[in-house]
Structures are given as C-alpha cells and as structure tokens.
Amino acid sequence: MLPRRLALVTAPQAGEAFGSWPDRMAWFNRCPPGVMAELFGLGLRGPSADLRPRTFGVRANDAVCDAVYAAADVTALATERMHLTVFDQGPLVLSEVLAAGDTAARATAGSGWVEVYGSRTCPLCLLSSGGVWPLWWKLACAGVCPVHEVVLLDRCPSCRCVLRWGGMRPRVLSNASRRAPMSCASMVGRRPCPQWLPMVRARSAPPGVAGLQQRWLEIACGRVRPVLGGVEVSRAEWFAAYRACVVLVRLGLPGVLGRLRGAPAWWRRVLMGEREVRGLSRARFGWGPASAEAATVFLAVVMPVLEAANARELGQCLMPLVRAAADAGGLGAKPLSQVAVPAVFARAVATQMPVNRRMPSPW
Ligand SMILES: [Zn+2]
Ligand SMILES: [Zn+2]
C-alpha cells in the first residue's frame, strides 16, 4: 500500500502534547479530530466507548510512529517527544501511569502524577500559540505559567469540566463534532461547551513562583542536572525527594503551616481543601497535587527545601516538614516506603527526627 499523505499538515510544535496536534490539524482541515486520527491510521478504538487506548498520548509504539510518518512526514523521534514517556523517571514514573489503568486514569492528576486524559492550561499561551497544548501542562506539578506568571486553569469556568477530558467523563476524540483548539468544547449534554479559553481571566501567580516553576521544568525536561543538598543526583532521585516533601507536608497539616515562616493564609485554604480531596485514604497522600493551585503551593514550599546549598541546610529546611509530620503521628505507617529518595535526602530527614522519643523511621 502506498503511504498516505495528508494535504493540510500542520507541523507539531516543540513540547506539544500528542493529543493537541491532531486536534489542531483537524481544525485546520475542517473535520472532527476523530476523523483526523482515523486518516492518520491511529486506531483509537479503546476498550470501551469512552476510553482511549491506555497508551494514547502516553507511549508511542511503532505502529503509531509509522502511521504518523507516512501521513505527515513527522519522524519517530518527534512523535515520541509528544508522549509522556519523555517525563519517565522524572516528574512521573511510566510504569505507575500504565499500572494506574483505566479507572485511576480517570482521576485528576492522581496516582501517576499526571492527568492522562485532560490538561491544565494558560489562556494567554493558548492565545499566542493559536491553540497549542504543551505536554507539561498534563503534569500534576504544573501550577504556574513561567511566561505569563499566572496560575494555570484546571477546569472550564462555564461547564466545570476538567479541560480536554471531553465531558463529564473522558472520551475518545469525537468523530461527530469539531473542536476549536482554543475552546473548551467539552460535551455537556449533547452540545460542545462554547467557552473560548483565551477569554478566561487567569489569576496572577504569587511572586517568585513562576521562577520556581521554570527551574522545576528545567529539571523535568532534563535540561539541568539536579543538585540536592550540594550533591549531584539523578533526575529520578530529585523527583523522589520532591514527592517525599509533598507527602511530608500533607501529613503535617495543618501544624506544618505554623512552622513555615511567612506562610500566607491562602496556603491553608488550598492545602486543607486539597487534603480533603486526597485524604479519604492515606494511600492518596502520595498522589500528585490535585489542582494547579495546590501545585503552586507545593512549588513554593518544596523548591526552597530542595535548593538548599548543602546537606546541613537541607536538614534545616526539612525540619518543619519532618517535625510536623512526626507530631501528627504520620510517620508510623512508613509513608515514604515506596519513594526511592537519594541517600543525602534520607540522611537529612534522619537528622531532624525528634530525639528522646521512640520514633519510627518514615521508610
Ligand atoms: Zn502562559
Ligand atoms: Zn466548558
């Protein structure tokens, strides 16, 4: 069979999510995104009508890469870069994302630290890019746009659906209706939501957090080798330490906020609200931030800890987190046993364990 070539091909943009690209191309070609995906030969039939194949947008296989190359002349490497595999052993662990399976994948930014179906967004970026949805907006720790310094949107303000889910439940790309890359277009009832996302006013980010998100992204994208407590560590180890800090903060609520110098009052509202969402079972303490707002607070709390200049300073920065979690009795269940932190981090935690008390190790 001769390879297919589509007439009106739009090039994928650097850092664009795989789901975003056929969406844009479908819009330019005036057809529903599901039809575009069929033309690509992407085979999007999932296990049930409202589920995509588990690996759609997560991991590119040879069949997907071959189909995309034949249809659009986009190389396998470029196709792979649009998939969540680029963040494996960093801000997410691919085996966890795949193991989360069909049910957990429906939960927003859940156990896999990523929103497999939906995405957060910066309305100003959407406007300036013409509707490109970057891949990193799917990560649970995506809180702030480093360019426009606004808190990302999680949900559409009109229909309250998670953006890009497609409706109240995640859907495969629609074969029936077109979806403007800059609009919400979630199916509410039988109609696509008309909310034009660049019109939504995003809240300004708290001072300094845009810079923290930028440095977090540099490490997530592998552009910077992470250093922790003055020691070079791997990307996987740095993100394990980040997760461990998030768990410690959640375990220590609300007492930890009193121990953090200069913690603004809204952190309490956001983190206690987030704990309610996540705290139904202790197992969920290890899940990713449930909203962009929660991700923003975690950046503000955790990044200064991980940027400590040396091991002693790292211990001092960890003190309020470890002590509050210990006071709340949260360490007994060994909450960090699944988190493979580097030795420098484990030692720094150990130095802050309260003395003269029978205190179990968090590992
Ligand atoms: Zn932006
Ligand atoms: Zn909407």
Side-chain angles (χ1 to χ4, degrees):
M1 195 174 79
L2 285 170
R4 286 155 296 197
R5 292 277 164 175
L6 299 182
L8 286 165
V9 169
T10 310
Q13 300 297 301
E16 183 169 13
F18 188 62
S20 162
W21 179 50
D23 243 21
R24 287 194 301 121
M25 209 150 5
W27 186 250
F28 291 126
N29 283 284
R30 299 174 183 277
C31 67
V35 172
M36 179 54 64
E38 286 291 315
L39 288 172
F40 266 66
L42 288 181
L44 282 180
R45 249 171 251 293
S48 74
D50 64 342
L51 286 174
R52 305 174 190 202
R54 196 177 287 185
T55 52
F56 178 82
V58 177
R59 185 176 57 195
N61 57 30
D62 288 347
V64 167
C65 290
D66 291 349
V68 168
Y69 182 67
D73 215 10
V74 168
T75 63
L77 187 63
T79 301
E80 280 161 12
R81 284 201 180 128
M82 287 188 274
H83 284 74
L84 288 171
T85 35
V86 295
F87 293 120
D88 187 24
Q89 299 302 318
L92 57 82
V93 178
L94 194 70
S95 56
E96 283 179 15
V97 177
L98 294 172
D102 302 332
T103 45
R106 290 180 177 184
T108 306
S111 56
W113 285 64
V114 66
E115 173 59 83
V116 173
Y117 290 93
S119 178
R120 293 175 186 154
T121 194
C122 165
L124 300 163
C125 280
L126 269 191
L127 183 64
S128 62
S129 68
V132 174
W133 293 67
L135 188 59
W136 79 272
W137 284 351
K138 286 175 160 287
L139 299 174
C141 290
V144 163
C145 171
V147 179
H148 300 102
E149 306 199 7
V150 294
V151 178
L152 301 180
L153 290 184
D154 301 287
R155 288 171 184 267
C156 167
S158 298
C159 66
R160 302 305 302 158
C161 288
V162 175
L163 294 168
R164 266 8 195 189
W165 260 37
M168 299 310 287
R169 298 197 304 168
R171 289 166 192 252
V172 287
L173 301 176
S174 172
N175 282 325
S177 57
R178 294 174 66 209
R179 155 161 112 170
M182 278 189 259
S183 78
C184 166
S186 281
M187 295 305 283
V188 186
R190 301 182 136 230
R191 294 165 150 237
C193 169
Q195 177 68 55
W196 193 248
L197 295 171
M199 294 281 287
V200 181
R201 205 185 145 90
R203 286 195 312 112
S204 295
V209 183
L212 299 178
Q213 182 82 76
Q214 181 59 40
R215 296 205 288 282
W216 183 95
L217 258 179
E218 302 277 318
I219 298 172
C221 296
R223 290 195 287 264
V224 165
R225 265 203 86 117
V227 175
L228 188 61
V231 180
E232 259 197 28
V233 293
S234 72
R235 192 169 73 138
E237 288 175 320
W238 191 89
F239 280 99
Y242 195 98
R243 283 183 181 213
C245 288
V246 168
V247 173
L248 288 172
V249 170
R250 285 189 180 135
L251 289 172
L253 285 173
V256 68
L257 295 169
R259 290 173 178 267
L260 293 170
R261 230 180 300 146
W266 67 275
W267 286 10
R268 185 189 177 89
R269 173 182 61 77
V270 170
L271 291 184
M272 293 307 282
E274 205 241 8
R275 195 166 82 154
E276 210 146 282
V277 174
R278 285 280 181 263
L280 298 171
S281 95
R282 289 243 153 184
R284 293 189 178 189
F285 274 43
W287 284 25
S291 65
E293 231 183 5
T296 303
V297 179
F298 284 122
L299 278 170
V301 175
V302 176
M303 285 298 285
V305 174
L306 299 190
E307 291 185 332
N310 52 50
R312 217 183 93 238
E313 208 179 284
L314 180 63
Q316 286 166 352
C317 292
L318 278 166
M319 182 168 69
L321 274 51
V322 176
R323 296 279 171 96
D327 286 352
L331 301 186
K334 302 203 178 295
L336 303 181
S337 58
Q338 302 293 318
V339 191
V341 296
V344 60
F345 186 85
R347 274 198 304 273
V349 170
T351 59
Q352 299 308 319
M353 300 298 279
V355 286
N356 300 327
R357 221 194 289 180
R358 285 194 45 168
M359 185 51 61
S361 155
W363 286 284

